Amino acid sequence: MEKSLWIRCNNCGKILYKQDIIDNLYVCPACNFHYRLTAIQRLNYLFDKNSWKIIDEEIQPTDPLNFKDSKPYKQRIEESRNKTSLSEAVINVMGTIDGIPVIMSIMDFSFIGGSMGSVVGERITRAIERAGKEKKPLIILSCSGGARMQEGVLSLMQLAKTSAALSRLDELKVPYISVLCDPTTGGVTASFAMLGDINIAEPYALIGFAGPRVIEQTIKEKLPKNFQRAEFLLQHGLLDDVVPRKNLREYLIRALRLLLNQPK
Amino acid sequence: MEEEKTFFELEKPLIKLREEIRKLETDPKNKEKINKLKKELKNKWKEIESKLTPLHIIQIARHPQRPYTLDYIDNLIEDFMELHGDRRFGDDPAIVAGLGFYHGQTVAVIGHQKGRTTKEKLFRNFGMPHPEGYRKALRIMKLANKFGFPILTFIDTPGAYPGIGAEERGQAEAIAYNLREMSRLEVPIINIIIGEGGSGGALAIGIGDRILMLQYSFYSVISPEGCAAILWKSQEAVSLAAKSLRLTSKDLYELKVIDEIIPEPVGGAHADYEKTFKNVDKYIRKNLEELKKMSPQDRLKYRYHKFRRMGVYIERK
């Protein structure tokens, strides 16, 4: 969003006072369009104040394939770091939500499209394993274009790694809630994002395996209205619910209390 | 530049030589001549082989004559009984699944299936499964698990199908669910990449205790064409993308993603089916014997750590 006091909503075109959107968790007060949030913004509105700590930051990316497209992969990582002040496309956080201890992974689309390479896969796996070990519920907020091409097949194998870790968590009977944010596509959808005990999404989030452009090029047809949007997935039985951002914290608290058999 | 020539151009002299040998083989008097030609064929192949680029390897992996899953089943599996349908929506011909005997032992066989004629290709959807294909695959794998039968999966797909119905029926969920469930099946699982290892659509039947790969197959997070379009925004970069992605069997072995490379005969798998089946059989058999000696608990632990350690990152203290 622009740096002036007033902005135009990209979705409905209305001119709005910027602070109103910010106060509304980056949701347009006029049309309810949900803008993308950074991982840090999500963390701040979900956790209890001062309850959280970012963990697993010692896992850092490298360039296993020596990959270079229009620019070297290493440079891409550096630029993303400077732009986002994050070290990778996911942060792991431990803290409490309404007093309930949880482990949370939060993805950030602004870091190389939220793509999953070795570090994202490893951090997610550590979050899953920690949730299992400490018997704390796991919450993952996904937001990703899919596997990271610059790490080739190693990125693909992160789908296998995270899903295998979730099978162990499943056996340990520790709850896992998956929250799909705009957009969640490719390898992230095809692994941990779809494997929650409860899968929910933000309104109008784009969610799918293949991206809409690839599908359009393959079938050479126009796609139906709202195709691959959260509401479409809900209708097709692929989500438990679509939850507006302002209700997400409350929803998570309710779901956690039910899954943990902990009435208020 | 050598790079400009496709594998199909490179293999023309090989085809000619093979044709000549075949003609001579009708008469036993030609033995000497045949041996000479065979030697020539071998030398020519060695020369070509030493210069194969990743793009050539992709062309071999996609060769229209390359053996497909049903060819392996016909030759390695006795009394194969195909089982159909996911019990939810339909049957997907892009994935073949069923039971059969492998060296006297019931096994479940699952594999992507491509077609050879236009009609077959359309019927098999070019080997690109829908969710019901992956769900059928898992249904049969669970059946095998119930009765303690080992599972063999043959991987050969450009990818999971990107279409409206596939998305409506949860393509991503079907793949994710298979990944999770395959990681905990108690029976031995061997995955064999026989042609194209097209990303998530390949991995969805690719979780196992041993991952074997035919020498001139490839396995990648994205097709080189897709990668070139997204990262280089040009189809001219396909060759560069193919190189950069490190998708050949040698690359995957070095990256510790696969366990063994199954060598291909002179000319590639499509040039000598018999030899290919023999090699594949040898590798499956050896690995299956080893896996059967392990307890299910050990196998599961081993399988978990196999995938758990994949990936390359730095750990700062």
Side-chain angles (χ1 to χ4, degrees), chain A residues 180-212:
Chain A
L180 293 91
C181 306
D182 182 65
T184 303
T185 58
V188 167
T189 324
S191 60
F192 58 84
M194 275 292 169
L195 293 174
D197 294 305
I198 293 180
N199 296 330
I200 55 173
E202 286 201 324
Y204 207 61
L206 180 80
I207 300 163
F209 175 65

Side-chain angles (χ1 to χ4, degrees), chain A residues 38-100:
Chain A
T38 66
I40 300 295
Q41 286 169 331
R42 292 191 196 278
L43 178 167
N44 275 317
Y45 87 92
L46 289 176
F47 276 96
D48 298 337
K49 240 188 171 165
N50 300 324
S51 79
W52 53 267
K53 177 167 103 187
I54 295 179
I55 51 172
D56 299 326
E57 282 295 302
E58 64 275 16
I59 318 291
Q60 295 289 328
T62 174
D63 178 14
L65 307 191
N66 230 326
F67 200 96
K68 182 174 177 246
D69 48 89
S70 57
K71 51 177 106 153
Y73 176 40
K74 276 206 168 122
Q75 190 186 330
R76 250 179 227 282
I77 294 172
E78 250 345 279
E79 286 174 7
S80 279
R81 293 193 153 176
N82 296 334
K83 189 180 80 182
T84 62
S85 73
L86 296 173
S87 68
E88 252 292 357
V90 71
I91 54 169
N92 283 353
V93 194
M94 56 192 294
T96 62
I97 296 185
D98 200 26
I100 306 166

Side-chain angles (χ1 to χ4, degrees), chain B residues 166-302:
Chain B
E167 295 289 327
E168 284 174 338
R169 299 194 290 279
Q171 186 75 287
E173 192 273 346
I175 296 171
Y177 192 68
N178 276 21
L179 301 182
R180 189 181 80 183
E181 295 307 306
M182 284 184 84
S183 75
R184 60 178 161 193
L185 295 175
E186 289 174 10
V187 294
I189 308 175
I190 299 178
N191 317 118
I192 310 111
I193 300 137
I194 55 170
E196 288 187 87
S199 199
L203 186 67
I205 58 166
I207 307 294
D209 304 300
R210 294 289 156 85
I211 309 175
L212 314 178
M213 188 163 173
L214 267 181
Q215 192 176 3
Y216 297 123
S217 300
F218 73 96
Y219 199 0
S220 181
V221 68
I222 186 168
S223 72
E225 291 82 1
C227 184
I230 296 168
L231 290 184
W232 280 272
K233 299 183 173 56
S234 133
Q235 276 312 297
E236 262 130 67
V238 171
S239 163
L240 190 57
K243 264 195 208 110
S244 309
L245 284 165
R246 304 278 312 271
L247 42 67
T248 69
S249 62
K250 192 169 165 280
D251 293 326
L252 269 91
Y253 187 77
E254 281 166 12
L255 292 167
K256 299 191 171 78
V257 170
I258 60 163
D259 295 286
E260 283 184 301
I261 299 171
I262 305 174
E264 293 197 20
V266 171
H270 61 281
D272 191 343
Y273 272 35
E274 226 167 290
K275 192 76 190 284
T276 304
F277 298 141
K278 222 173 125 190
N279 288 350
V280 170
D281 182 35
K282 195 176 110 190
Y283 277 76
I284 294 177
R285 203 169 174 185
K286 185 191 82 178
N287 279 286
L288 192 54
E289 284 312 312
E290 285 169 16
L291 291 172
K292 278 164 97 174
K293 283 186 200 129
M294 296 167 74
S295 72
Q297 292 88 333
D298 282 350
R299 265 198 311 264
L300 284 177
K301 221 185 279 168
Y302 172 90

Side-chain angles (χ1 to χ4, degrees), chain A residues 58 60 67-68 118 122 125-126 129 147 152 157-158 161 165 167-168 170-171 189-191 208-210 228 232, chain B residues 160-162 167-168 172 176 179-180 183-184 203 207 221 232 244 304 307-308 310-316:
Chain A
E58 64 275 16
Q60 295 289 328
F67 200 96
K68 182 174 177 246
S118 298
E122 181 65 22
T125 303
R126 290 202 186 194
E129 287 178 339
M157 291 303 139
Q158 305 310 309
K161 176 158 130 180
S167 106
R168 287 199 163 181
D170 188 58
E171 256 144 53
T189 324
S191 60
F209 175 65
Q228 294 186 312
F232 177 92
Chain B
Y161 187 65
E167 295 289 327
E168 284 174 338
L179 301 182
R180 189 181 80 183
S183 75
R184 60 178 161 193
L203 186 67
I207 307 294
V221 68
W232 280 272
S244 309
Y304 186 78
F307 290 96
R308 178 67 186 84
M310 286 190 197
V312 177
Y313 54 84
I314 297 166
E315 186 153 15
R316 293 220 176 106

Side-chain angles (χ1 to χ4, degrees), chain B residues 37-54:
Chain B
L37 286 178
K38 277 192 175 166
K39 206 169 171 196
E40 202 182 318
L41 181 71
K42 210 171 168 181
N43 288 336
K44 185 76 197 150
W45 172 241
K46 264 193 190 150
E47 188 195 317
I48 294 171
E49 208 176 20
S50 67
K51 290 187 215 144
L52 289 176
T53 64

